[in-house]
């Protein structure tokens, strides 16, 4: 491993936070602050491209590993690394952050410096979650995402922004306490917070009293992750947070922060507790299916564009949970791909909704109509990203949902059948929303003079559109990295299946 490989995770993780610290001492020149935040976020994205460029795609274990003693008592290490599961989630985070800076360029007018400091700190916390291999370090980054996101919603949001921020903070913080209890129990029994050490000890059966505590440990981790996804019925904080958040907050919330929950299920629930994962898969699969159908049906009746997109996230993330707990190669590959595709397409939809809000200061669908004739470029971008979210073949949404449903059919046919209805429902609510907003007559005089996309907005939207097409046309660029890590995660389940067949 060369010098850059050894330091790359530290650089990608902490450059945004370091830049945020520098901004604390910068003069309040809004244009310079925006430019600096954009430059730093672009630098972080460029550095993160080193990760897939030098990633060994045929290797299942952790790469770019760095493991240094941090705190002696308790035994905490600065241990970071990544495999194919976390690789693209890091790149997704660095990809969306500069787009968030661009889309917020003119929409944030007060406390501009504080806004971009929070955005950069948020980026560091999100990346840290995906690359931490020490459970204490993971929990530190996990909780660190709460403060900047709650402040972004509470300070820069709309309407009932303080209520939404407090609800988000309390829901996710209280749920995380259960995971903290599980982490401390594992440390007390193993003497280590290191994920690799703990996983090895659990799989070798060398952890005392584990059999009696296993189900509670599984549930402790699962509750924290299920609230973050959010999985039905833990979802009630999400619509409020999305609707009241500023555009950049919604993009990062839907694009990356929700993936912390599904990533945690795959990494920790399946990685540390495979037997409990299999034992609990039945009712978790039912909750995922309820989330898929319920999220879609509730989205269909929403009068608010942003709330409709928020409920679509509940439906799409249900596909991810369904794929994870299918315990099939196709299901887990599809779950990972849906995570990435959802981050691009739903992030793009929130950017587009934010652009319209800047012009009209409302998300109410009834306030629009006939916009395609007034904003043709905007209408074209909206339709393209919407079709990617629906799952049109050759766009990014199709591959992941196809693989998830393939895995669901392999595991339980009825789950695949019920899950497939979610694809139909998503086409219904998204296309109906598009028809009401963009077609028909212009019934509100304010919409007659709406300007089309400007250069900055097009620059923010083009990368998302290109990525949606690229992931749909060439999915193997992503799946070739994901597949070995998924195969490695499934080893305990394939061994279990082999033992059952042998008996």
């Amino acid at each position: 491993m060369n010098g850059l490989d050894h330091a790359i995770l530290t650089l990608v993780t902490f450059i945004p936070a370091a830049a945020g610290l520098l901004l604390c001492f910068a003069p309040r020149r809004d244009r310079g602050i925006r430019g600096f935040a954009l430059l730093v976020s672009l630098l972080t994205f460029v550095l993160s491209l080193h990760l897939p460029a030098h990633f060994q795609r045929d290797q299942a274990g952790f790469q770019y590993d760095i493991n240094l003693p941090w705190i002696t008592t308790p035994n905490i290490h600065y241990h970071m690394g990544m495999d194919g599961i976390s690789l693209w989630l890091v790149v997704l985070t660095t990809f969306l952050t500069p787009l968030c800076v661009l889309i917020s360029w003119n929409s944030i007018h007060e406390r501009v410096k504080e806004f971009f400091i929070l955005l950069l700190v948020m980026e560091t916390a999100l990346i840290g979650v995906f690359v931490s291999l020490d459970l204490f370090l993971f929990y530190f980054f996990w909780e660190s995402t709460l403060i900047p996101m709650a402040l972004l919603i509470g300070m820069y949001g709309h309407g009932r922004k303080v209520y939404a921020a407090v609800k988000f903070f309390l829901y996710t913080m209280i749920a995380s306490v259960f995971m903290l209890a599980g982490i401390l129990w594992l440390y007390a029994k193993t003497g280590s917070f290191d994920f690799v050490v703990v996983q090895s000890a659990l799989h070798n059966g060398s952890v005392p009293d584990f059999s009696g505590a296993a189900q509670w440990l599984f549930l402790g981790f699962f509750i924290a992750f299920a609230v973050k996804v959010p999985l039905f019925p833990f979802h009630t904080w999400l619509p409020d947070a999305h609707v009241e958040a500023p555009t950049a907050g919604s993009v990062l919330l839907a694009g990356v922060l929700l993936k912390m929950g599904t990533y945690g299920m795959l990494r920790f629930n399946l990685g540390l507790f495979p037997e409990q994962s299999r034992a609990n898969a039945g009712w978790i699969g039912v909750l995922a299916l309820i989330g898929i159908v319920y999220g879609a049906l509730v989205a269909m009746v929403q009068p608010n564009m942003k709330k409709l997109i928020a409920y679509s996230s509940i439906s799409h993330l249900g596909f991810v949970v369904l794929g994870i707990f299918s315990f099939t190669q196709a299901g887990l590959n599809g779950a990972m791909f849906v995570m990435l595709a959802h981050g691009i397409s739903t992030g793009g939809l929130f950017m587009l909704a934010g652009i319209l809000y800047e012009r009209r200061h409302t998300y109410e669908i009834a306030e629009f109509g006939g916009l395609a004739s007034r904003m043709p470029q905007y209408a074209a971008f909206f339709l393209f990203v919407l079709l990617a979210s629906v799952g049109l073949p050759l766009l990014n949404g199709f591959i992941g949902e196809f693989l998830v449903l393939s895995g669901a059919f392999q595991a339980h046919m009825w789950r695949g059948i019920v899950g497939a209805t979610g694809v139909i429902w998503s086409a219904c609510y998204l296309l109906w929303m598009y028809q009401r907003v963009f077609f028909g007559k212009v019934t509100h005089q304010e919409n007659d003079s709406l300007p089309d996309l400007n250069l900055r907005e097009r620059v923010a939207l083009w990368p998302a559109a290109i990525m949606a097409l690229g992931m749909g046309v060439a999915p193997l660029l992503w799946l070739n990295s994901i597949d070995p890590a998924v195969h490695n995660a499934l080893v305990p389940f394939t061994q279990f299946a082999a033992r059952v067949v042998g008996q």
Side-chain angles (χ1 to χ4, degrees):
M1 190 182 344
N2 61 44
L4 183 56
D5 281 350
H6 191 69
I8 187 65
L9 287 185
T10 300
L11 291 172
V12 170
T13 303
F14 289 105
I15 280 178
L21 183 63
L22 286 176
L23 276 182
C24 292
F25 305 100
R28 291 186 175 275
R29 295 172 184 164
D30 293 352
R31 189 173 182 83
I33 288 169
R34 294 185 181 103
F36 180 73
L38 180 61
L39 182 65
V40 169
S41 60
L42 285 172
L43 173 63
T44 307
F45 173 63
V46 171
L47 279 173
S48 73
L49 294 179
H50 177 92
L51 300 169
H54 294 83
F55 192 80
Q56 302 298 316
R57 283 169 169 73
D58 55 348
Q59 184 177 322
F62 294 106
Q63 301 181 37
Y64 306 110
D65 193 83
I66 178 170
N67 190 355
L68 301 171
W70 181 20
I71 300 173
T72 307
T73 306
N75 182 22
I76 300 171
H77 282 226
Y78 176 73
H79 189 188
M80 304 176 92
M82 64 165 43
D83 59 3
I85 292 170
S86 50
L87 168 66
W88 292 112
L89 291 169
V90 172
V91 177
L92 175 67
T93 308
T94 63
F95 174 79
L96 288 177
T97 304
L99 305 186
C100 289
V101 175
L102 279 172
I103 213 69
S104 306
W105 201 269
N106 289 334
S107 60
I108 304 300
H109 307 290
E110 297 179 357
R111 295 174 293 198
V112 173
K113 182 166 79 168
E114 288 81 358
F115 177 86
F116 288 105
I117 290 172
L118 291 171
L119 204 61
L120 292 171
V121 171
M122 184 75 189
E123 183 178 14
T124 285
L126 289 168
I127 294 171
V129 166
F130 299 128
V131 299
S132 297
L133 294 180
D134 182 279
L135 293 177
F136 178 89
L137 192 63
F138 169 79
Y139 187 79
F140 170 80
F141 282 118
W142 177 275
E143 293 292 75
S144 296
T145 62
L146 296 184
I147 297 171
M149 181 55 74
L151 290 175
L152 283 171
I153 297 170
M155 293 169 63
Y156 302 95
H158 323 288
R160 298 193 305 165
K161 56 187 181 181
V162 175
Y163 167 80
V166 171
K167 190 174 182 180
F168 160 76
F169 189 89
L170 288 178
Y171 262 68
T172 50
M173 185 188 71
I174 292 170
S176 300
V177 171
F178 295 100
M179 177 171 66
L180 176 61
I183 290 172
L184 293 174
W185 189 95
L186 291 170
Y187 176 76
K189 297 297 181 179
T190 63
S192 176
F193 285 110
D194 192 291
F195 172 79
V196 178
V197 173
V198 172
Q199 184 183 44
S200 177
L202 291 175
H203 289 183
N204 292 336
S206 59
V207 179
D209 305 320
F210 175 68
S211 59
Q215 176 67 8
W216 297 107
L217 292 168
F218 172 87
L219 290 174
F221 278 84
F222 180 79
I223 289 170
F225 301 143
V227 170
K228 192 73 79 175
V229 170
L231 186 66
F232 178 91
F234 308 106
H235 65 283
T236 57
W237 64 267
L238 180 66
D240 292 308
H242 266 317
V243 171
E244 312 304 348
T247 300
S250 292
V251 172
L252 283 182
L253 186 62
V256 186
L257 192 135
L258 304 187
K259 311 309 184 301
M260 289 165 51
T262 47
Y263 167 80
M265 290 179 185
L266 182 49
R267 174 73 76 215
F268 296 97
N269 281 116
L270 268 64
L272 297 179
F273 316 109
E275 292 184 14
Q276 289 68 40
S277 296
R278 184 174 288 281
N280 291 278
W283 61 268
I284 293 172
V286 170
L287 291 182
L289 290 172
I290 293 173
I292 291 171
V293 177
Y294 165 84
L297 292 177
V298 176
M300 195 174 296
V301 299
Q302 292 305 314
N304 183 295
M305 182 192 301
K306 209 175 184 189
K307 190 170 281 191
L308 183 150
I309 301 169
Y311 275 105
S312 79
S313 289
I314 296 171
S315 185
H316 284 110
L317 270 294
F319 277 101
V320 179
V321 177
L322 184 66
I324 291 172
F325 285 89
S326 71
F327 309 118
T328 62
Q329 190 82 17
L332 265 72
N333 277 335
M336 279 301 307
F337 206 86
V338 171
M339 284 193 232
L340 302 174
H342 176 267
I344 299 296
S345 55
T346 304
L349 287 175
F350 276 120
M351 285 195 286
L352 287 157
I355 288 170
L356 200 53
Y357 183 85
E358 283 186 37
R359 288 157 169 74
R360 283 294 319 277
H361 301 289
T362 180
Y363 292 114
E364 294 300 313
I365 295 172
E367 290 292 318
F368 303 108
L371 294 190
S373 61
R374 301 298 185 269
M375 305 171 69
Q377 293 182 54
Y378 177 81
F381 268 108
F382 206 115
L383 181 61
F384 187 84
V385 177
L386 180 145
L387 291 174
S389 185
V390 167
L392 187 74
L394 293 183
L395 296 178
N396 60 359
F398 174 74
I399 300 295
E401 289 180 358
F402 178 82
L403 289 172
V404 165
L405 291 174
S406 298
F409 269 103
Q410 291 174 41
H412 298 279
M413 183 175 291
W414 68 270
R415 289 189 194 174
I417 294 170
V418 176
T421 64
V423 180
I424 301 170
W425 293 120
S426 69
C428 292
Y429 64 74
L430 285 171
L431 291 173
W432 187 34
M433 181 261 287
Y434 189 84
Q435 182 263 326
R436 287 178 288 167
V437 172
F438 291 96
F439 295 142
K441 295 181 180 179
V442 178
T443 55
H444 291 80
Q445 186 177 354
E446 301 94 322
N447 297 332
D448 261 327
S449 57
L450 290 181
D452 209 343
L453 296 174
N454 58 40
L455 177 61
R456 173 185 56 82
E457 291 164 341
R458 291 197 299 272
V459 169
L461 291 169
W462 267 115
I466 292 169
M467 193 59 67
L469 179 62
M471 291 180 69
V473 172
L476 287 179
L477 290 175
W478 287 263
L479 290 172
N480 283 342
S481 307
I482 295 168
D483 193 67
V486 164
H487 184 270
N488 192 49
L490 285 173
V491 167
F493 301 94
T494 53
Q495 289 175 345
F496 175 83
R499 287 198 303 270
V500 171
V501 172
Q503 292 171 358

